[in-house]
């Protein structure tokens, strides 16, 4: 059980939450939700003991696992050892035991007694099966056996994340805190993780922007809003329904309170210098009782995303003939044939590293094909959001001037209105492009696609850096889009809502073209174990 008592935290002059009292019970799995900037990761770090609250205290079990965010922390260690470090008492006992055995020539009775104590700890912590358990976790998370003896420094960034996730899952901790555990996981591995976590019996607190993942694993939702944390029974969708029912009531109460405050302030200002001093003092006391600081508004914000088509493309958008791409001796795909018509909505799926981004970049001319060809149709205009977009926004500009550059003839009010719908309100349009967060960059790139109105969208992992509200808005925007869509994503809900055709990059030098929804493809070929 994790107990949080009267915890408050202010960050950058803004109050995140105040006097929070929450208990996370063993056997329950809690999704920690709230928009970007609400304080989810800060609250998680407070629970873990990584940062101190402004006030209050936290009680946590002795064996509490935390998904590490520093991917270089274990570079010198073997992959297997890094996982076993998730059980710190076991790891320390094994290290001390091995050090004593390494100095056997100076063995003493005291050392023998200490060895016996350490062996008891190793036995109690299931140390004799530790490597087998670690190997099982690594395989489940998609890390092949040949990498288990490698050092962490030899792994890619995505593989390091998986090892650190295995570390958090190792050793049956009494409580687990996982911040974005599905990052860098492919669809198969996400499903494996879901099954693992559903069987977990400790107290789990998880942050994720994957709605289907949250719905699959959580029994409760702890939502950061109104400067506090409210725990709802049920998964994320259950919370949204319940919160929608009570939110109107809360907002109405707050509006009535604000109206009362305004009336009291008006009376005090009008009559403070007159003969109604006693009434003025009475109103001041009422104002103090209302406690204006308690008038808190919801932090929920959802952008309005609508992609419109300017000039319509021709009927034939792109023809692909025997397309192949290889890097040296590594064949990514070959012999790929496909015909894309206007209005096709294609989801591109596959494990990490199999070539989804390579396929996109080849079709866009950023990479030369090894063989075969492709031809874009007449009047096709492409709007592209790359997976790596840190350098795609010019530095040294304001947000509104950057966006205006894509449509110089646009009225400035049109630009500001569009930015407002994308949550850049008021003076935020004057914010420098040098200091953008990941979520702000993505919303800016969406704004660019909205103002330029391409008839074909090519989006590579567009949900990266977005909160759940923004992902829901994106799904609505893509569902309403009348153009052609090529979408790379690991978000299963987004695939289901936005796509009607699947390209599966299998990693076996082929791409499967399935005309149907993601759920149909998954049920027929993946969950059912059928042959692709």
């Amino acid at each position: 059980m994790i107990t949080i008592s009267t915890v408050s935290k202010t960050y950058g002059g803004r109050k995140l939450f105040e006097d929070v009292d929450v208990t996370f019970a063993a056997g329950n799995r809690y999704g920690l939700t709230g928009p970007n900037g609400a304080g989810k990761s800060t609250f998680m770090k407070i629970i873990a003991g990584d940062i101190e609250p402004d006030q209050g205290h936290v009680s946590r079990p002795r064996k509490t696992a935390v998904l590490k965010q520093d991917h270089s922390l274990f570079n010198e260690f073997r992959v297997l050892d890094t996982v076993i470090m998730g059980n710190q008492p076991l790891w320390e006992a094994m290290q001390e035991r091995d050090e004593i055995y390494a100095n056997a020539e100076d063995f003493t009775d005291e050392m023998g007694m200490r060895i016996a104590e350490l062996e008891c700890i190793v036995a109690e912590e299931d140390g004799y099966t530790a490597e087998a358990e670690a190997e099982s976790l690594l395989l489940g998370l998609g890390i092949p056996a040949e990498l288990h003896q490698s050092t962490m420094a030899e792994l890619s960034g995505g593989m390091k994340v998986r090892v650190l996730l295995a570390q958090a899952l190792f050793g049956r901790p009494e409580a687990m805190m996982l911040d974005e555990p599905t990052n860098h996981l492919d669809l198969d591995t996400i499903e494996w993780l879901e099954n693992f976590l559903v069987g977990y019996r400790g107290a789990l607190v998880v942050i994720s922007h994957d709605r289907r993942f949250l719905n699959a694993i959580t029994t409760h939702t702890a939502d950061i809003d109104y400067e506090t944390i409210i725990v709802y029974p049920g998964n994320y969708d259950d919370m949204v329904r319940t919160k929608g029912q009570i939110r109107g009531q809360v907002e109405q109460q707050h509006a009535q309170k604000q109206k009362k405050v305004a009336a009291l302030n008006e009376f005090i200002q009008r009559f403070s210098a007159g003969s109604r001093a006693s009434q003025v003092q009475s109103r001041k006391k009422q104002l103090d009782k209302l406690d204006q600081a308690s008038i808190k508004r919801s932090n929920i914000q959802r952008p309005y995303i609508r992609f419109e088509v300017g000039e319509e493309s021709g009927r034939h958008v792109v023809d692909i003939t025997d397309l192949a791409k290889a890097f040296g001796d590594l064949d990514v795909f070959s012999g790929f044939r496909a015909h894309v018509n206007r209005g096709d909505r294609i989801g591109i799926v596959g494990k990490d590293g199999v070539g989804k981004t390579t396929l996109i970049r080849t079709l866009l001319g950023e990479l030369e094909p090894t063989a075969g060809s492709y031809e874009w149709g007449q009047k096709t205009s492409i709007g592209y959001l790359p997976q790596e977009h840190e350098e795609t926004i010019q530095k040294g500009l304001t947000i509104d001037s950057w966006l205006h550059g894509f449509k110089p003839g646009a009225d400035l009010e049109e630009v500001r209105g569009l930015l407002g719908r994308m949550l850049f309100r008021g003076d935020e349009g004057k914010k420098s492009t040098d200091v953008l967060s990941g979520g702000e960059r993505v919303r800016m790139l969406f704004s660019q696609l909205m103002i330029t109105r391409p008839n074909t969208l090519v989006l590579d992992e567009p949900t990266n850096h977005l909160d759940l509200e923004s992902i829901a808005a994106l799904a609505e925007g893509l569902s309403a889009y009348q153009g052609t869509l090529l979408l790379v994503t690991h978000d299963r809900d987004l695939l289901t809502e936005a796509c009607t055709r699947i390209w599966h990059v299998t990693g076996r030098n082929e791409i499967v073209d399935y005309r149907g929804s993601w759920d149909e493809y998954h049920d027929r070929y993946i969950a059912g174990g059928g042959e692709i």
Side-chain angles (χ1 to χ4, degrees), residues 311-374:
E311 183 181 14
E312 195 174 66
S313 71
R315 180 182 174 187
H316 303 296
V317 174
V318 62
D319 287 315
I320 305 170
T321 305
D322 296 328
L323 194 66
K325 181 61 184 175
F327 294 101
D329 294 331
L330 176 63
D331 291 324
V332 181
F333 53 82
S334 66
F336 180 47
R337 290 188 168 200
H339 181 77
V340 179
N341 285 325
R342 182 177 62 232
D344 279 351
R345 313 172 63 80
I346 301 170
I348 303 173
V349 302
K351 293 181 179 294
D352 277 351
V354 296
K356 301 184 297 294
T357 296
T358 297
L359 172 61
I360 288 296
R361 295 183 64 201
T362 302
L363 291 176
L364 294 176
E366 293 185 359
L367 298 174
E368 285 290 328
T370 306
S373 63
Y374 60 90

Side-chain angles (χ1 to χ4, degrees), residues 164-421:
L164 295 179
L165 180 55
Q167 181 190 76
L169 303 178
F170 177 80
R172 294 183 290 282
E174 299 168 83
M176 276 198 296
M177 285 169 286
L178 307 179
D179 191 348
E180 295 293 355
T182 62
N183 281 358
H184 300 284
L185 300 187
D186 55 58
L187 294 169
D188 290 345
T189 309
I190 291 173
E191 291 187 359
W192 178 91
L193 179 61
E194 288 175 352
N195 292 329
F196 183 93
L197 293 178
V198 166
Y200 176 64
R201 294 293 174 259
L204 172 67
V205 184
V206 59
I207 298 171
S208 178
H209 290 158
D210 186 328
R211 192 179 84 197
R212 188 174 292 196
F213 176 75
L214 285 177
N215 284 334
I217 68 165
T218 56
T219 60
H220 296 73
T221 301
D223 187 55
I224 302 180
D225 205 356
Y226 300 104
E227 297 178 8
T228 189
I229 295 177
I230 305 170
V231 177
Y232 298 85
N235 61 26
Y236 178 77
D237 283 351
D238 294 330
M239 181 275 293
V240 170
R241 284 190 290 269
T242 304
K243 184 174 181 178
Q245 294 169 2
I246 67 172
R247 183 178 175 186
Q249 301 172 7
V250 173
E251 294 289 350
Q252 186 177 12
Q253 292 170 2
H254 287 175
Q256 291 172 349
K257 187 178 290 188
Q258 288 177 316
K259 187 176 180 180
K260 182 68 173 175
V261 167
L264 291 171
N265 277 322
E266 183 182 0
F267 185 92
I268 292 168
Q269 291 172 3
R270 285 181 62 189
F271 300 110
S272 60
S275 58
R276 305 172 72 173
S278 62
Q279 294 180 14
V280 168
Q281 290 303 314
S282 174
R283 299 301 195 278
K284 286 182 177 179
K285 289 179 181 179
Q286 291 181 49
L287 194 59
D288 289 340
K289 288 180 180 179
L290 276 173
D291 182 13
Q292 294 185 53
S294 70
I295 301 176
K296 301 167 183 175
R297 300 195 64 81
S298 173
N299 59 21
I300 295 297
Q301 298 185 90
R302 175 180 285 197
Y304 181 79
I305 301 175
R306 284 296 180 272
F307 302 109
E308 297 181 359
V309 173
E311 183 181 14
E312 195 174 66
S313 71
R315 180 182 174 187
H316 303 296
V317 174
V318 62
D319 287 315
I320 305 170
T321 305
D322 296 328
L323 194 66
K325 181 61 184 175
F327 294 101
D329 294 331
L330 176 63
D331 291 324
V332 181
F333 53 82
S334 66
F336 180 47
R337 290 188 168 200
H339 181 77
V340 179
N341 285 325
R342 182 177 62 232
D344 279 351
R345 313 172 63 80
I346 301 170
I348 303 173
V349 302
K351 293 181 179 294
D352 277 351
V354 296
K356 301 184 297 294
T357 296
T358 297
L359 172 61
I360 288 296
R361 295 183 64 201
T362 302
L363 291 176
L364 294 176
E366 293 185 359
L367 298 174
E368 285 290 328
T370 306
S373 63
Y374 60 90
E375 183 178 359
W376 291 94
Q378 293 182 349
K379 298 183 180 179
T380 300
S381 58
I382 300 171
Y384 175 42
L385 190 150
Q387 184 175 165
E388 303 295 336
H389 46 67
E390 286 76 7
E391 305 301 324
T392 57
I393 297 175
Q394 184 180 347
K395 301 290 181 65
L397 301 174
T398 60
I399 290 174
D400 54 7
S401 64
W402 176 84
L403 183 60
H404 192 257
F406 290 95
K407 193 175 180 182
D411 185 273
L412 194 56
E413 289 305 312
E414 177 187 350
V415 172
R416 289 173 178 168
L418 176 55
L419 288 173
R421 293 194 295 274

Side-chain angles (χ1 to χ4, degrees), residues 468-532:
L468 286 162
E469 291 291 329
S470 297
I471 293 172
L474 174 62
E476 292 174 4
L478 291 179
S479 297
Y481 179 57
Q482 298 299 305
T484 304
L485 174 66
L486 275 69
L487 171 67
V488 178
T489 184
H490 288 151
D491 190 301
R492 293 160 293 176
D493 280 341
L494 189 59
L495 281 170
T496 299
E497 294 178 42
C499 300
T500 56
R501 181 176 173 184
I502 300 298
W503 286 354
H504 182 187
V505 186
T506 65
R508 300 192 296 272
N509 194 26
E510 66 175 344
I511 299 173
V512 176
D513 185 357
Y514 179 79
R515 294 182 179 272
S517 72
W518 161 251
D519 287 338
E520 292 170 358
Y521 182 74
H522 177 272
D523 292 346
R524 183 172 179 181
Y525 292 108
I526 300 177
E531 291 297 323
I532 298 173

Side-chain angles (χ1 to χ4, degrees), residues 393-448:
I393 297 175
Q394 184 180 347
K395 301 290 181 65
L397 301 174
T398 60
I399 290 174
D400 54 7
S401 64
W402 176 84
L403 183 60
H404 192 257
F406 290 95
K407 193 175 180 182
D411 185 273
L412 194 56
E413 289 305 312
E414 177 187 350
V415 172
R416 289 173 178 168
L418 176 55
L419 288 173
R421 293 194 295 274
M422 297 304 291
L423 306 183
F424 297 105
R425 300 189 174 109
D427 291 340
E428 289 187 354
K430 297 297 181 184
K431 188 174 183 178
S432 171
T433 55
D434 295 349
V435 293
L436 299 174
S437 67
E440 287 172 331
R441 278 197 305 269
V442 175
R443 282 187 279 121
M444 281 185 65
L445 292 170
F446 287 160
S447 300
Q448 174 194 343

Side-chain angles (χ1 to χ4, degrees), residues 43-65:
F43 188 68
M44 187 80 87
K45 290 175 182 177
I46 289 173
I47 301 175
D50 294 335
I51 62 176
E52 290 295 321
D54 297 337
Q55 67 175 47
H57 64 276
V58 176
S59 173
R60 68 187 72 84
R62 179 180 68 91
K63 291 180 69 175
T64 297

Side-chain angles (χ1 to χ4, degrees), residues 92-146:
E92 291 174 355
M94 293 172 67
Q95 290 299 102
E96 185 178 350
R97 179 195 63 184
D98 293 347
E99 186 176 345
I100 292 174
Y101 280 133
N103 295 285
E105 66 275 5
D106 300 320
F107 205 81
T108 65
D109 290 344
E110 289 78 7
M111 292 167 68
M113 294 176 61
R114 182 56 181 162
I115 283 286
E117 294 172 355
L118 293 171
E119 292 290 2
C120 285
I121 295 173
V122 170
E124 289 170 358
E125 298 292 340
D126 296 324
Y128 300 114
T129 60
E131 286 210 359
E133 181 185 348
E135 288 173 350
S136 177
L137 286 171
L138 290 168
L139 291 172
L141 289 167
I143 301 174
E146 57 266 25

